[in-house]
Amino acid sequence: MFELPVTLDGEKLGVDDLYRLAQREEKVSLSALALERVKACRSYVLSLTGGPGRVYGLNTGFGSLADTPVSPENLDRLQINLLRSHSAAVGKELPKDAVRAAMVLRLNTLLKGRSGVAPETLVLLSELINRDIVPVVPESGSLGASGDLAQLAHIGVALLGEGEVYHRGSKKPSLQALEEEGLKPVSLGPKEGLALINGTQVSTALGALALVASQKLVECMEEVASLTIQSLGSSVQWLDPLVHDARPIEGQVECADRLRTVLSDSRSTGRTRRVQEPYCIRCIPQVHGSAREGLRFANAILSKEINSATDNPLVFPEQGAVISGGNFHAQPVALVLDMLAIALTPLGALSERRIDKLLTPTFSGLPAYLAPQSGVNSGLMISHYTASSLVTENRLLSHPASVDTAVVSGGQEDHASMSLHSARKLIKVVSNLWYICAIEALCAAQAADLGGIVPLLGTRSAELYSYIRSCVAFISEDTELSGPIERTRRALLERYVGRVP
């Protein structure tokens, strides 16, 4: 693929841009104007190093050591020690795409020229991104206040030639990767270590990637639900625009419009004589519409966060000011990621109820559990158990992390957002939803075959049915179901996201 650079300037990076950069579909370049801002800010910071005043993180310790002065000869060592001591994350490694996204976000926010970092440091960080040198970053250890300190420190030490990275298909020492690319480690100066680690970029990166996946997921779940609706011969009166114009919530109207479009040329709907459809069918626009509103809100907040200065202290050369504030506190990120998990979880609950309807002969009119010979065959019975289990897990994961907190650093840092916990929970919720959606798709395709309605499907649903059948054949006898579920999930991800994580 020919890679065009995305020019970073700290102002205009979008969620979709970040997603492409995380997947290494494009490279980054640095705005000349932004680099001029960075140079001006750096010059101002350096002018303060010889002065008598104390500036947090420049000539003082960190956290509860903020009132401890650091001598001029130790200012550079202070920053190196900060990166080393804060590289304390543990546990599983974060995915490479999430680390790349965090690197892009940190680079973007530093280009705002409010952090005091040297231009050369940003150039090296951009080289790591463009040459696919990705630091190894464990997932646990962030409180989301003072930012994602530990994880960002693991990224920062790679610039020193320390720690481990992924490069050219293998894990290796950072210094080795730099040497193989003809790059030299940076020599950090005053405030630079703090500038590299004090921010929300790991939580925001994970959240932004989950947001894009969630947008695709909602689209997929609506099309799979449409296949179910046709397989059950359900009425679509509830999609009448009169209903949704009477409650014009944008997300609800969008969902109803989309379902009408998908079902517009179907000859399979309305075959039953039910006066009303159950909520899991009739209320799709209301439930999915709420999730769409949540996605819209999350996109607005994360788009602002992506282009914000979130470290501390912030430097304002024009006003001659260095101000300690709290932009590193990730409460806005934690809150919207918790909200997204809550908004998306009911989609799985609706899908699970539709799975039950497909498998229950008194409702579907089809063989029990969609088995051609029910009794000797259990059919897709236990796939419903799996879906129910995942729905329960998502309900547990929907408990918000952002209502929790922690007190650290001798009480100086006495409130935390837990944003990385919110992000990690959301990612698991989304992953579970892809499995639930795959189970519904598998059941809906099986029902379409057993009901003989494949020729009656609308165009879009016929394409989806064919796509499912290209990877999973009709199940005529009991078989191990994990494989078909997994193949269906991968097929849906390929179709709607374009890749399988």
Side-chain angles (χ1 to χ4, degrees), residues 98-427:
V99 177
R100 281 179 55 84
M103 295 165 72
V104 171
L105 290 182
R106 198 70 205 135
L107 178 57
N108 190 59
T109 192
L110 293 173
L111 284 166
K112 293 186 76 67
R114 297 295 179 207
S115 304
V117 70
E120 295 78 12
T121 301
L122 301 190
V123 170
L124 180 59
L125 181 53
S126 71
E127 290 289 353
L128 263 62
I129 293 166
N130 289 338
R131 297 173 191 243
D132 201 28
I133 301 174
V134 182
V136 174
V137 180
E139 67 176 3
S140 297
S142 172
L143 298 176
S146 288
D148 300 311
L149 292 172
Q151 284 74 19
L152 288 172
H154 283 278
I155 293 173
V157 293
L159 299 173
L160 303 176
E162 300 180 12
E164 290 187 310
V165 298
Y166 285 102
H167 175 240
R168 297 182 182 175
S170 65
K171 185 189 290 188
K172 62 186 68 170
S174 172
L175 184 59
Q176 178 184 338
L178 293 176
E179 289 174 346
E180 288 175 1
E181 293 288 346
L183 300 172
K184 293 183 179 180
V186 296
S187 299
L188 293 182
K191 198 183 177 298
E192 288 200 275
L194 184 59
L196 287 169
I197 71 170
N198 206 202
T200 69
Q201 282 66 45
V202 177
S203 299
T204 304
L206 288 171
L209 297 184
L211 172 64
V212 174
S214 299
Q215 291 167 334
K216 304 295 186 183
L217 170 68
V218 171
E219 177 184 345
C220 176
M221 294 191 83
E222 288 170 358
E223 295 203 0
V224 168
S226 297
L227 182 58
T228 295
I229 288 164
Q230 293 167 88
S231 295
L232 292 171
S234 296
S235 162
V236 290
Q237 280 187 322
W238 45 274
L239 282 175
D240 193 305
L242 290 172
V243 173
H244 303 287
D245 290 344
R247 191 199 204 184
I249 296 173
E250 190 172 351
Q252 176 178 329
V253 172
E254 286 175 352
C255 177
D257 286 347
R258 188 155 186 278
L259 291 174
R260 275 197 304 274
T261 299
V262 173
L263 294 168
S264 61
D265 60 348
S266 170
R267 292 175 290 138
S268 182
T269 58
R271 291 181 289 108
T272 67
R273 298 192 178 186
R274 288 188 290 271
V275 174
Q276 285 187 343
E277 295 298 334
Y279 288 5
C280 64
I281 293 172
R282 188 171 18 132
C283 296
I284 292 172
Q286 288 77 13
V287 178
H288 280 234
S290 298
R292 284 171 171 266
E293 290 298 323
L295 289 168
R296 201 184 329 274
F297 178 68
N299 187 75
I301 297 297
L302 292 179
S303 295
K304 288 185 174 69
E305 187 73 5
I306 282 170
N307 294 292
S308 296
T310 59
D311 49 323
N312 177 64
L314 294 177
V315 184
F316 302 91
E318 307 90 338
Q319 291 80 21
V322 180
I323 304 174
S324 280
N327 283 1
F328 52 71
H329 199 295
Q331 192 71 17
V333 176
L335 182 62
V336 296
L337 300 187
D338 280 341
M339 179 271 297
L340 268 187
I342 293 168
L344 292 168
T345 289
L347 274 60
L350 249 63
S351 179
E352 180 271 325
R353 288 290 79 212
R354 291 193 296 270
I355 293 167
D356 177 70
K357 296 296 186 287
L358 287 162
L359 299 180
T360 303
T362 54
F363 187 88
S364 70
L366 299 170
Y369 307 114
L370 302 176
Q373 288 181 290
S374 299
V376 66
N377 286 310
S378 295
L380 292 164
M381 177 194 294
I382 304 304
S383 72
H384 181 209
Y385 291 40
T386 301
S388 296
S389 173
L390 294 170
V391 168
T392 295
E393 184 176 10
N394 278 0
R395 286 173 178 148
L396 295 172
L397 290 168
S398 292
H399 177 80
S402 57
V403 299
D404 203 347
T405 188
V407 180
V408 293
S409 196
Q412 174 73 3
E413 298 171 4
D414 57 0
H415 188 273
S417 74
M418 303 300 178
S419 57
L420 194 53
H421 295 75
S422 300
R424 289 165 55 198
K425 291 195 304 92
L426 173 61
I427 288 169

